[in-house]
Amino acid sequence: MPAESPRPLQFATQAVHAGTAPDPATGARAQPIYLTNGFVFESNEQAADIFAMRATGFSYSRGSNPTVAALERRVAALEGAKAAVAVASGQSAVLLVLLTLMQSGDAYVSSSRLFGGSLGLMRRLETRYGLTPHFTRGLEPADFEAAITPATRAIVCESIVNPCGTVADLAGIAAVARRHGLPLVVDNTLASPALIRPIEHGADVVVHSTSKFLSGSGTVIGGIVCDAGRFDWEGSGRYNLITEPWPDYDGLVVSERFPETAFATACRLFGLRDLGPGLSPMNAFLTLTGTETLPLRMERHCANARAVAAFLRDHPKVDWVSYPSLPGQSGEAVAARYAPQGAGAIFTVALKGGEPAALRFITGLRLISHLVNIGEIKSLAIHPATTTHRQLRHDEKAAACVGPETVRLSIGLESIEDLIADIAQSLDALV
């Protein structure tokens, strides 16, 4: 980071500078890639202190690495968090949060509209490990409150829902969480901190699949967990990994030793040292490079997505489009409140010809790639009902706007004229 500024740095500046500095050993301005699994200790005492959490430092790259730490600092700064823990994938980030917060017999409230992989993970954790998700009927704050039970340990939602693009009322859901003394966990992948910063609206934990907008290139897999640092873990008395002694760390109580980063520290100890889904230094470096252009990319993503959604909404072969930043769309007021720049670049579109038309539309695209990822600089299309959300029941697919007639689009940074031309020619070819 540059020398201390007389005022806080703006978001675009943080995206370029936060978490990094010229390398003191060589003067290199780009963040070095530390491709090493271990680090030499200065003494026996230092090694013992690092492993006992009495001192900070690098020991083994599964738990921490200088390149990965730079990414953690940058994303924490962009999200307004106290600390972050980078992991091997977004799925690992969700798993790590749930396992750190809960033990067998506990429950949590989750939005019923989530990425299909998250829903699949939650159901597997319930049947195998007794972590019970209570899914909401809708996305209103009252729906979350109605699902809370004495066993509830957290509330989980997405800031922008994958894949329908609905923007959640984060402040309203956070108020429910506070009334019940529960942490609010928000998956901010589809928004990125360039569009929405959930901590500013009351979130306690923010997760990302860094494989999407944060890196933007479609070349890496990664995830990250951000700790807002303000939840009263000790006051709740419900989270044993955070508030009870760890015998293998000489009785360390994480919330006492690390009061502002208790959740992140517990995630690192349990998630990285015990479970082991560490992020590679190379993937961290590539993601760091991607974050430098995040504000510029998100501006173009939103502008392109709005134009494509408007074109599709008015096309005679389209039944509906679920992009809330369009005038008159469902959820328009909430989207304008939380994401005034635009509701991201991911949305669904339903073809009047049903599933056959949806599948033919995808295969007829020439510029837009038929690919399962989202949030890349290249535009992408997928049929969620048979891929990413295939495990949902028919009624769940309808509620999530991923019925058989539905295509999910991830709009990239190409020229808008070329994107619309590609979509138009594919639609024109439909019978």
Side-chain angles (χ1 to χ4, degrees), residues 8 46 292 353:
Q46 184 202 32
E292 294 176 355

Side-chain angles (χ1 to χ4, degrees), residues 330-361:
S330 175
E332 179 188 1
V334 177
R337 175 185 175 188
Y338 290 101
Q341 295 181 66
I346 317 301
F347 62 89
T348 46
V349 53
L351 281 297
K352 287 182 177 178
E355 182 170 336
L359 296 176
R360 288 198 302 273
F361 170 70

Side-chain angles (χ1 to χ4, degrees), residues 162-178:
N162 183 356
C164 65
T166 301
V167 179
D169 181 1
L170 294 178
I173 300 169
V176 171
R178 285 194 299 273

Side-chain angles (χ1 to χ4, degrees), residues 227-302:
D227 181 2
R230 63 187 177 204
F231 187 78
D232 184 7
W233 303 105
E234 291 188 337
S236 72
R238 297 167 169 168
Y239 307 96
N240 65 319
L241 285 182
I242 301 173
T243 62
E244 296 180 9
W246 289 57
D248 47 342
Y249 287 94
D250 302 325
L252 167 71
V253 177
V254 171
S255 59
E256 294 177 358
R257 183 83 61 83
F258 306 96
E260 289 194 336
T261 59
F263 185 74
T265 303
C267 282
R268 190 174 302 280
L269 291 179
F270 176 55
L272 295 186
R273 289 196 178 183
D274 291 348
L275 300 180
L279 180 67
S280 79
M282 179 61 75
N283 282 6
F285 172 81
L286 292 172
T287 305
L288 267 171
T289 303
T291 62
E292 294 176 355
T293 59
L294 178 65
L296 294 172
R297 287 188 287 108
M298 295 309 295
E299 181 179 346
R300 179 66 174 263
H301 275 299
C302 289

